[in-house]
Every structure is written in structure tokens, then in C-alpha cells.
Amino acid sequence: MIDLKQANQALETDLHRKDATQIVVWAQATFGTGLIMSTSFGIQSAVMLHLVTQVVPKIPVVWVDTGYLPVETYQFADALTQRLQLNLQVYQSPISPARMEALYGNLWASQEVEAFNKYDYMRKVEPMQRALRELGATAWLAGLRADQTVHRQTLDVVTQQRDIYKISPILNWHARDIYQYLQAYDLPYHPLFEKGYVSVGDWHSSRPLMADDESDRDTRFRGMKQECGLHLPQTPGEAESLDSSFL
């Protein structure tokens, strides 16, 4: 067990790029082989993948493949995996897309948040829970940023999600920091960035940014919710208040 308050105070800085690397170094020294990272191969995923693997080259990289990702995401994932020599661990739902649709219909097309939550639990949350168990994870590096959702604005760099510690090295980065890092290391955005996407998940629940969108996350889940459930905490009540399933 670690003291969360003490850990966050020790890591409390202006959190520029150099500090993000120091946070990864601290995480590796603290958690050792229990440290994993996750990726969605989203718009800016190259940043975290590069940042972390410069410090921990063989870290298990968990990718939850829902079976509904855009073609461009699969191609982007393949290219980054080869370029960065990722130790990629792919997890999927035991329920195939065809079976899920036969039993429950197109859950993502529903106007009910509960249907989205059911979809997210089957295709994302359960596979991630299984990955954490099978890999023996005690800590999880994630590319969360405070400016992405209301919930993420409340986070510290180090948090605890049930029995797993969550470390967010780029929590206080902004779009400019992301751009500068990508430029410095000649890393790519996701291909759909050039088509106006600022956030991308499944093909049926992502769209380009529109002029009247209030935030990047309005382009996901038809604006009905902000989180898929992978990065929500601690109690069912908190999760329910954010209209999402929880991990």
C-alpha cells in the first residue's frame, strides 16, 4: 500500500513534459513488474506509448479491441506496434459482435444510456478487468487528461481504483503539449485527426468535431455520456452519477 496524499505531494510540480517522464520513472520504481499501461490507439495515443516505453520498453500494453473500431484504428495500431516494438496484449469480449447483436440488438443505437452502459461493460470493462487480473497488475499507467471530461478534472496524478493504483503522467497537459511532443519525436496523430476527429473510439459512436460542440467528448457516444467506464472509480453511486458503467 502507498500513501496517496504523500505520493501526489512528492510528484506535485508544474507537470511539463520532463515531469511526465519522472512520473513514469517513479511508477516503475514503485510498482515494478506489477505496472502495466493501457492504450486505445486513439487520436493522441502515440504520446503515451512513446513516453512510457522510453522508460519501460517491455511494459505490457493492454489494448481492449471492441471489434467495432474504425479501419484506420487497426492500421494505426499495427504501425505504432511495429515502430515502438510494443509488448501488446490484446483483450476482447468473450461475446462476439455477431452474438451480442443477435441477443441484444444494436445497443449503441439506443436512446437509453443504460443500453450504452451494457455495451461498454461487455465490450470494454469486462475485458479490461480480465487483463488486470491475468497480468497481475497492481498499477496502471493511463493517458488521462484533466481537460477531457468533468470527472477527470477531479483526479490526482496518482489515484486508487478499487485495488489498482492509477497513474496519469500527462494529466495536466493540454493540446499544445501534445502537439509539441508529437512534433519533437516525429510521432503521428491518428489518421482520422485529419478528418476533424479530436477523439475516436468505436466507428458507430465517434464523429468529427462540430462548431457547436462544447468539448471534445461531445463527439463520443452521441453526447449522451463522457466516459466508457474504464476510468471511473470506486463506488456504483459515483459511476451512476456520471452515467456510465464502472470498473
Side-chain angles (χ1 to χ4, degrees), residues 6-13 15 19 22-23 26 157-158 167:
Q6 187 177 63
N8 281 294
Q9 286 176 342
L11 295 169
E12 195 173 71
T13 65
L15 294 174
D19 305 297
Q22 291 168 3
I23 291 168
W26 172 86
V157 170
V158 186
I167 303 104

Side-chain angles (χ1 to χ4, degrees), residues 151-210:
H151 167 62
R152 296 178 189 189
Q153 292 171 15
T154 70
L155 298 178
D156 291 319
V157 170
V158 186
T159 58
Q160 191 168 7
Q161 191 167 315
R162 296 192 178 181
D163 58 348
I164 299 289
Y165 291 100
K166 178 80 68 66
I167 303 104
S168 304
I170 61 171
L171 183 68
N172 293 327
W173 283 27
H174 299 284
R176 183 176 180 179
D177 301 307
I178 295 293
Y179 172 78
Q180 289 177 340
Y181 191 96
L182 292 172
Q183 290 293 302
Y185 294 99
D186 191 28
L187 296 166
Y189 282 101
H190 188 291
L192 288 177
F193 181 71
E194 295 182 358
K195 297 183 179 180
Y197 286 75
V198 291
S199 178
V200 62
D202 293 332
W203 63 262
H204 50 65
S205 302
S206 307
R207 62 166 174 78
L209 186 70
M210 303 296 184

Side-chain angles (χ1 to χ4, degrees), residues 2 18 61 70 80-81 94 115 118 122 151 165 189 193 201 223 233 242:
I2 66 169
K18 61 182 175 61
V61 178
L80 278 182
T81 297
K118 187 179 187 72
M122 285 191 290
H151 167 62
Y165 291 100
Y189 282 101
F193 181 71
L242 291 165

Side-chain angles (χ1 to χ4, degrees), residues 73-218:
T73 296
Y74 291 110
Q75 294 170 341
F76 184 55
D78 186 64
L80 278 182
T81 297
Q82 293 186 47
R83 174 173 172 179
L84 300 178
Q85 295 296 294
L86 302 179
N87 177 17
L88 192 65
Q89 307 290 319
V90 182
Y91 279 79
Q92 294 178 300
S93 172
I95 303 174
S96 70
R99 181 182 173 196
M100 184 191 73
E101 292 174 29
L103 295 177
Y104 306 108
N106 293 347
L107 291 169
W108 64 84
S110 173
Q111 297 303 311
E112 300 294 330
V113 171
E114 290 76 10
F116 262 122
N117 291 345
K118 187 179 187 72
Y119 174 91
D120 285 338
Y121 184 82
M122 285 191 290
R123 307 235 64 82
K124 302 176 186 179
V125 178
E126 185 280 330
M128 190 67 202
Q129 289 176 331
R130 188 160 23 94
L132 294 172
R133 289 194 306 271
E134 292 181 0
L135 295 171
T138 56
W140 171 6
L141 286 163
L144 305 184
R145 296 202 347 254
D147 62 2
Q148 291 172 324
T149 71
V150 173
H151 167 62
R152 296 178 189 189
Q153 292 171 15
T154 70
L155 298 178
D156 291 319
V157 170
V158 186
T159 58
Q160 191 168 7
Q161 191 167 315
R162 296 192 178 181
D163 58 348
I164 299 289
Y165 291 100
K166 178 80 68 66
I167 303 104
S168 304
I170 61 171
L171 183 68
N172 293 327
W173 283 27
H174 299 284
R176 183 176 180 179
D177 301 307
I178 295 293
Y179 172 78
Q180 289 177 340
Y181 191 96
L182 292 172
Q183 290 293 302
Y185 294 99
D186 191 28
L187 296 166
Y189 282 101
H190 188 291
L192 288 177
F193 181 71
E194 295 182 358
K195 297 183 179 180
Y197 286 75
V198 291
S199 178
V200 62
D202 293 332
W203 63 262
H204 50 65
S205 302
S206 307
R207 62 166 174 78
L209 186 70
M210 303 296 184
D212 58 350
D213 287 328
E214 294 183 3
S215 76
D216 293 358
R217 301 299 284 190
D218 288 343

Side-chain angles (χ1 to χ4, degrees), residues 17-32:
R17 283 194 300 277
K18 61 182 175 61
D19 305 297
T21 298
Q22 291 168 3
I23 291 168
V24 177
V25 170
W26 172 86
Q28 168 64 8
T30 303
F31 299 104

